[in-house]
Amino acid sequence: MADLNHPIPEVTTIQLPEFKGTPFHNPLAENSGSLKVIEPCIVVIFGATGDLTARKLLPALYNLAREGQLPSHFACVGFARKQKTNEEFRQQMREAVAQFSRVKPLDDKIWEQFSQQLFYHSANFDDPNGYQSLKSHLEMIDQQCGTKGNRVFYLSTPPSFFPNIIENLGHGGLIYNVTTETKKWSRVIIEKPFGHDLESGISLQQFTMNHLAESQIYRIDHYLGKETVQNILVFRFANSIFEAFWNNHYVDHVQITFGEEIGIGSRGAFYEEAGILRDIIQNHMMQILSLVAMEPPTSLDPNSIRDEKLKVIRSLRPLDLSHFSQYVVRGQYGPGYVNGQKVIGYREEANVNPQSNVETFAALKLYIDNWRWAGVPFYLRAGKRLPKRATEVAITFKEVPSILFARRSKTHENNVLVLRIQPDEGISLKMNTKVPGPSSPIQPVKMDFRYGSYFGLTPPEAYERLICDCILGDGTLFARGDEVLASWKWVTPILERWKECPPSDFPNYAAGSWGPKAADDLLAADGRMWRLL
């Protein structure tokens, strides 16, 4: 069992050297006049033959290149165990970009130019000699492409390889000392999960800090790269009318939903180790929660924003384990129908234990014990095989006194502000209005803003923004070590309680439904209900 009283290691903030190069605007600070730069660099992708590289990373780099957002002196090196030539790697990546990119490579000239910046290096992740040959390979590319020794190492591998890769990068001289090296830099992007509970998270953090400074670590959560998630900050702090009532005086409760129609697909082996609490709630939903609930930062400096997010997570009220079922619900989908198609249950999925007790649904009620949110419940739910794909934040405001209109209409409802993150990204506000006519009934209506129809642009993929930010040295949209560990500290008691008390009713909701009945009861006990999506 993890020691939940174990002090979480403090994160040391290190001032990076001043950038010099092409200026680049920070979209969250357009009015501040702040400029950043894109310096020459090489991006090394560990696990370059994997699914994430083909579906997300190479398409993201290609789109950045075609839109002129990569450095003019740039290269990408794929690192994996399989033997390949540069040309074989380039051809496979072209097929991946053609299939998965939001913009297809129709212009062969753009692709040809980009492909000449792609290279491949074969070695085992645990072979020190492979890192020495990688170092020589990168130095040769520096000479060929003018990348000046700057490095981004992207760990697109299973988490079990993280320690090996980080240790070999450190021992191989591929990680620069930020306190002595001022002419070039190295950064490491780490995919989630960063640990699987508090104890492993602390262990991985301490191991990583033996080889890297915190300013060199970029823990990626692709949800923070979504335009609609970034817009939470702008919506809150660039519009004074909303910030004025963003508190417990006006807000009745907040619901955050992360729903997916799909099951676990080919990720059975991963999900047997993770479950939805680790896969979705501990990272994606905690990040969204902290953005919704945080105090205004003193500036748009990355650490100012992340400091305020950390305060929210540290203010989460510890769960009352003596009344555990009043705060936490778990579920697992069985066979059912989604969009009219019959689908199998979780226990019938590939690479899943037929008696598995892994959760595919979780619902939580939590409180943030600070002055702004005292007494306001936050309800979180996340699930696989729900009726539709939808991620949103719904802020429900308190009822007005019913003196004036209670007798005139039974359709009077609470005002609700909804931030839709996916799909159909946008913002809506439900308010009560009078229907024209002599009887004057009151009817709720929605004011609706949709990103796609208003701006007429296809937003960039999350990975495009995040990779670009890492090259720029901007950690705003990446999770800091103390954030991750604070989240694990709150979540780990739930994992331990579930381990001690296996469920007796799995599967307890049919695929295509909105989860187990206990999730509805969680809100019904407070006289509330989940929003109909």
Side-chain angles (χ1 to χ4, degrees), residues 363-503:
L364 311 174
K365 177 172 72 172
L366 52 85
Y367 290 91
I368 300 171
D369 286 337
N370 60 22
W371 278 36
R372 180 185 289 266
W373 296 113
V376 176
F378 284 71
Y379 301 101
L380 278 59
R381 62 173 169 171
K384 296 282 189 180
R385 285 299 190 201
L386 301 187
K388 64 188 295 186
R389 173 175 175 259
T391 302
E392 69 164 37
V393 179
I395 297 94
T396 299
F397 296 96
K398 293 181 177 180
E399 291 185 353
V400 298
S402 58
I403 300 170
L404 296 178
F405 299 109
R407 297 180 181 178
R408 300 179 68 180
S409 176
K410 296 182 180 180
T411 58
H412 175 273
E413 298 182 8
N414 293 52
N415 300 129
V416 181
L417 178 66
V418 177
L419 309 176
R420 293 192 305 273
I421 295 170
Q422 70 174 15
D424 192 26
E425 294 87 348
I427 302 169
S428 68
L429 176 63
K430 184 172 73 174
M431 62 184 69
N432 296 296
T433 63
K434 174 186 173 298
V435 176
S439 59
S440 303
I442 295 174
Q443 179 175 311
V445 299
K446 286 199 300 185
M447 295 180 63
D448 205 3
F449 159 70
R450 299 170 186 259
Y451 282 90
S453 59
Y454 187 85
F455 292 111
L457 299 172
T458 302
E461 291 284 343
Y463 282 95
E464 296 174 32
R465 173 65 190 273
L466 294 171
I467 291 172
C468 192
D469 278 3
C470 180
I471 296 173
L472 290 165
D474 187 340
T476 305
L477 301 178
F478 294 85
R480 203 169 61 189
D482 46 8
E483 287 182 67
V484 174
L485 297 182
S487 178
W488 276 128
K489 187 172 184 177
W490 193 84
V491 165
T492 294
I494 302 175
L495 295 169
E496 293 178 342
R497 181 62 175 265
W498 282 351
K499 185 177 181 179
E500 294 169 359
C501 305

Side-chain angles (χ1 to χ4, degrees), residues 191-411:
E191 276 283 342
K192 74 173 182 70
F194 194 84
H196 59 271
D197 58 13
L198 177 60
E199 185 176 358
S200 62
I202 290 174
S203 177
L204 181 57
Q205 172 72 1
Q206 291 174 337
F207 176 87
T208 304
M209 295 297 286
N210 289 334
H211 301 279
L212 298 160
E214 177 63 29
S215 60
Q216 295 174 300
I217 307 170
Y218 289 72
R219 300 169 192 82
I220 192 168
D221 182 338
H222 74 273
Y223 250 69
L224 291 179
K226 290 181 177 292
E227 289 288 335
T228 42
V229 174
Q230 297 169 43
N231 196 58
I232 293 174
L233 286 177
V234 177
F235 179 80
R236 284 194 56 194
F237 302 129
N239 297 289
S240 60
I241 61 171
F242 297 114
E243 185 60 19
F245 54 70
W246 210 266
N247 54 61
N248 58 1
H249 296 294
Y250 299 97
V251 175
D252 179 77
H253 71 279
V254 178
Q255 295 183 22
I256 304 178
T257 297
F258 186 109
E260 293 186 303
E261 297 169 299
I262 61 173
I264 51 95
S266 62
R267 303 173 74 210
F270 166 77
Y271 237 75
E272 282 293 277
E273 296 292 329
I276 206 158
L277 191 68
R278 290 184 174 100
D279 184 38
I280 301 297
I281 294 177
Q282 184 272 335
N283 40 76
H284 297 335
M285 297 191 79
M286 284 296 177
Q287 290 292 329
I288 294 173
L289 169 70
S290 61
L291 289 172
V292 170
M294 65 184 275
E295 295 296 321
T298 56
S299 73
L300 290 172
D301 173 76
N303 277 316
S304 293
I305 293 173
R306 295 193 290 186
D307 285 346
E308 297 303 332
K309 290 167 58 187
L310 175 63
K311 290 177 185 177
V312 172
I313 299 173
R314 286 181 171 171
S315 297
L316 293 176
R317 181 185 302 175
L319 289 172
D320 182 355
L321 297 182
S322 63
H323 298 88
F324 189 74
S325 62
Q326 297 177 19
Y327 296 92
V328 181
V329 171
R330 59 177 158 172
Q332 184 190 91
Y333 66 84
Y337 291 85
V338 176
N339 294 327
Q341 299 293 319
K342 187 175 182 179
V343 297
I344 60 176
Y346 175 76
R347 292 181 176 182
E348 289 77 51
E349 300 278 12
N351 301 315
V352 169
N353 184 340
Q355 285 81 44
S356 175
N357 285 325
V358 170
E359 81 285 355
T360 62
F361 177 97
L364 311 174
K365 177 172 72 172
L366 52 85
Y367 290 91
I368 300 171
D369 286 337
N370 60 22
W371 278 36
R372 180 185 289 266
W373 296 113
V376 176
F378 284 71
Y379 301 101
L380 278 59
R381 62 173 169 171
K384 296 282 189 180
R385 285 299 190 201
L386 301 187
K388 64 188 295 186
R389 173 175 175 259
T391 302
E392 69 164 37
V393 179
I395 297 94
T396 299
F397 296 96
K398 293 181 177 180
E399 291 185 353
V400 298
S402 58
I403 300 170
L404 296 178
F405 299 109
R407 297 180 181 178
R408 300 179 68 180
S409 176
K410 296 182 180 180
T411 58

Side-chain angles (χ1 to χ4, degrees), residues 26-38:
N26 177 353
L28 292 179
E30 284 294 332
N31 295 325
S32 69
S34 67
L35 294 175
K36 296 192 175 181
V37 300
I38 304 179

